[in-house]
Amino acid sequence: MQETITNTDFEVRSLDSICVNDSRLTHRWYHNIKYLIVGILFGIIFVKAEIISWFRIQEMFRLQSFHMYGVIGSAVLVGMLSVWLIKKFNIKTIYGETIVFPVKAFNKGQIYGGLLFGFGWAITGACPGPLFAQIGTGATVVIVTLLSAIAGTWVYGYVREKLPH
Amino acid sequence: MNFGEWISRPWPWYVAGPLIGLTVPALLVLGNKSFGISSSFRHICAACFPGNVPFFQYDWKKEAWNLFFVAGILLGAVLATQLLANPQPLQISPQLSAELAGYGITEHNGLLPSQLFNWPALLTLRGLITMVLGGFLVGFGTRYAGGCTSGHAIMGLSTLQWPSLIATCCFMIGGFVMANLILPFILSL
């Protein structure tokens, strides 16, 4: 793939040129079932801890409740500790591969995009994961919000080269 | 307290937060996957309507795990709602409740205010801004930033990447400005 601008999207591993030792294994589709199961557990946590609630996000941005700060803060701490343990004990994947961590380079998109996402987060009361979960709780109209988010991503891809990065 | 009551109670932050944190090593150990949800939007674009846009010309099937993951989130929410739902109304802060009442949002039985998020509201300016423009900003902003709360705030900070800290701070600044300074006007429409 030819890209005129360097990769700014560190979630899409197969595009990340820095990841030279990224997985070369190819798996049949049903190997993805394990990610479906992690997703199901994740969706249950989202609903049970009310993280996908528009009200909880409003409380967070108005400093009216500690709940979301506790959730995100403790998630980051557990994530940090896990990554430290993986590095320290050189833990491998279940396929025996070395675990790699993509290095994120700074670009101005993290500021401009970050602010725009912050606006959207406070309006919709949802970041991308909760959008999927809100639909699952029966709020069918959030399908419109999700489609609009996909449209937003498409428009970003379309105008990307004209934007400051 | 009986079992049904125990299972239906909302989970506190110190249960949910660490479990979410464990998603990071779970995805890494299961197949070297970096936790990140917003890229699913990009894969959907690449799979369904790539057009001639270079940003969507890649082998999205290599990233299909991410689509299984978000499908799981939706299914998990269905399961939790059907089997483990809390029958009590959502407990929200009295200040928020008072503020929202001023905008005609008085009902908070569910996780979302049904007076703001419903199909007929799409025909109102307030509903159009909250659901359509709000969603657009989420999709545009996360991809511009190269990640969302999961990719930057959780995965990025867990791996001690300072660009993710900048992104996370900008998410929060944007949220504070919107919720306190701009959203009151939108909700008053």
Side-chain angles (χ1 to χ4, degrees):
Chain A
M1 196 187 99
Q2 291 291 314
E3 278 215 11
T4 48
I5 315 177
T6 48
N7 182 29
T8 54
D9 195 341
F10 302 98
E11 290 185 13
V12 184
R13 296 287 293 277
S14 63
L15 305 184
D16 194 346
S17 54
I18 300 161
C19 276
V20 281
N21 49 359
D22 203 350
S23 178
R24 290 282 174 272
L25 295 174
T26 48
H27 294 297
R28 304 292 297 271
W29 69 270
Y30 50 79
H31 284 265
N32 285 323
I33 297 291
K34 55 186 184 287
Y35 304 111
L36 184 84
I37 294 165
V38 177
I40 290 173
L41 297 174
F42 201 67
I44 293 173
I45 301 166
F46 266 173
V47 173
K48 287 308 297 175
E50 300 173 340
I51 294 161
I52 60 164
S53 170
W54 184 86
F55 297 104
R56 292 280 171 266
I57 302 302
Q58 300 308 320
E59 287 173 342
M60 169 173 75
F61 287 131
R62 287 171 175 76
L63 298 174
Q64 290 165 341
S65 159
F66 177 73
H67 186 76
M68 289 304 302
Y69 294 98
V71 168
I72 298 175
S74 57
V76 171
L77 284 180
V78 170
M80 273 179 189
L81 185 67
S82 311
V83 168
W84 182 78
L85 288 171
I86 287 173
K87 286 181 175 165
K88 170 130 178 121
F89 296 102
N90 195 19
I91 295 169
K92 303 270 198 273
T93 70
I94 54 170
Y95 302 105
E97 292 180 292
T98 301
I99 291 176
V100 286
F101 301 96
V103 177
K104 300 185 196 217
F106 173 75
N107 73 79
K108 292 188 219 81
Q110 285 142 8
I111 295 175
Y112 302 131
L115 291 171
L116 291 174
F117 165 54
F119 292 158
W121 190 10
I123 299 177
T124 61
C127 35
L131 282 180
F132 291 96
Q134 287 176 348
I135 297 168
T137 64
T140 53
V141 74
V142 179
I143 292 171
V144 175
T145 312
L146 178 66
L147 291 175
S148 197
I150 294 168
T153 299
W154 195 91
V155 171
Y156 167 72
Y158 189 74
V159 300
R160 182 171 188 261
E161 316 205 347
K162 297 182 187 75
L163 295 171
H165 275 94
Chain B
M1 184 167 57
N2 62 35
F3 181 75
E5 212 180 311
W6 179 78
I7 205 89
S8 68
R9 271 195 310 178
W11 296 354
W13 63 266
Y14 49 83
V15 172
L19 287 174
I20 291 175
L22 287 177
T23 312
V24 170
L27 293 174
L28 287 170
V29 169
L30 284 175
N32 241 336
K33 306 302 183 202
S34 283
F35 183 36
I37 297 174
S38 60
S39 40
S40 62
F41 300 152
R42 183 176 175 187
H43 306 324
I44 293 168
C45 289
C48 302
F49 17 79
N52 282 324
V53 180
F55 193 61
F56 302 120
Q57 311 298 322
Y58 61 94
D59 185 8
W60 61 272
K61 287 182 186 150
K62 272 192 179 170
E63 303 288 338
W65 75 272
N66 199 264
L67 299 173
F68 279 81
F69 183 60
V70 295
I73 293 176
L74 199 151
L75 278 176
V78 172
L79 288 175
T81 305
Q82 299 302 319
L83 307 175
L84 314 167
N86 178 17
Q88 305 295 322
L90 197 76
Q91 297 297 314
I92 69 169
S93 111
Q95 299 110 290
L96 182 66
S97 179
E99 186 194 333
L100 293 178
Y103 312 123
I105 299 171
T106 47
E107 179 277 315
H108 29 86
N109 292 320
L111 293 170
L112 291 176
S114 57
Q115 288 156 323
L116 190 58
F117 295 89
N118 61 68
W119 287 96
L122 278 173
L123 300 173
T124 65
L125 187 58
R126 180 170 96 167
L128 204 64
I129 293 174
T130 31
M131 291 178 269
V132 178
L133 179 69
F136 188 91
L137 287 171
V138 169
F140 189 96
T142 50
R143 206 74 271 113
Y144 195 178
C148 62
T149 329
S150 54
H152 274 310
I154 297 178
M155 186 67 198
L157 294 185
S158 293
T159 52
L160 309 176
Q161 318 243 12
W162 68 270
S164 289
L165 182 62
I166 292 174
T168 305
C169 290
C170 291
F171 298 165
M172 296 307 294
I173 294 169
F176 272 99
V177 168
M178 176 54 72
N180 294 288
L181 304 178
I182 310 173
L183 196 60
F185 291 100
I186 299 173
L187 293 179
S188 303
L189 289 170

